Amino acid sequence: MTSVPRVLFVCIHNAGRSQMAAGFLSSLGGSAVTVRSGGSEPADQINQVAIAAMREVGIDISEGIPQLMTAEAVQESDVVITMGCGDVCPIFPGKRYEDWQLADPAGQGLEAVREIRDDIRVRVESLLAGLLPA
């Protein structure tokens, strides 16, 4: 792993789960981590309910733009966190992979997205604790 861990969050549309996770890791990890996100089939925009849910906890993801996950992005990352994108994520030796089973916020109301957001926060905090020295 590099001196500054590089983390890539991947979900299908890069519009909800991966954007929320990237928002949390960027906010909590600051310059101690490099954060990217992508999707196997990027949407046109970030999920508006995910934006609202993250605003409630003081994190603004509204400027995010769904990006296509590339093999290069995976190869340049130390940790790759997938969220429901199945087998489309390329596998490279020496990378740490985790698959977070999370509900898709697409089409869900704020109450449901809050639960997903809170689950993501707990997972990101645990990930960060394992990446950075105490």
Side-chain angles (χ1 to χ4, degrees):
M1 191 168 307
T2 58
S3 60
V4 174
R6 300 168 297 186
V7 178
L8 172 64
F9 294 103
V10 183
C11 68
I12 296 169
H13 300 296
N14 190 221
R17 296 167 287 191
S18 57
Q19 293 285 346
M20 289 190 286
F24 275 126
L25 189 56
S26 293
S27 176
L28 298 170
S31 62
V33 292
T34 299
V35 183
R36 288 188 233 165
S37 68
S40 54
E41 300 173 22
D44 295 331
Q45 64 182 8
I46 304 295
N47 179 314
Q48 294 300 307
V49 181
I51 291 171
M54 292 299 284
R55 269 200 189 115
E56 291 180 346
V57 295
I59 298 174
D60 183 7
I61 61 169
S62 65
E63 297 298 317
I65 299 172
Q67 301 289 318
L68 180 64
M69 178 267 317
T70 64
E72 292 80 22
V74 175
Q75 198 164 17
E76 293 171 1
S77 299
D78 298 306
V79 180
V80 180
I81 308 292
T82 58
M83 304 171 181
C85 63
D87 296 331
V88 299
C89 193
I91 304 294
F92 292 99
K95 307 292 175 200
R96 174 176 156 193
Y97 291 89
E98 291 184 24
D99 184 42
W100 292 357
Q101 297 296 315
L102 296 162
D104 188 345
Q108 299 206 46
L110 188 56
E111 285 296 320
V113 175
R114 283 179 181 138
E115 289 181 29
I116 297 166
R117 174 203 65 201
D118 293 346
D119 187 3
I120 290 170
R121 180 182 198 131
V122 169
R123 292 171 188 246
V124 167
E125 288 171 342
S126 176
L127 173 68
L128 190 59
L131 291 175
L132 301 179

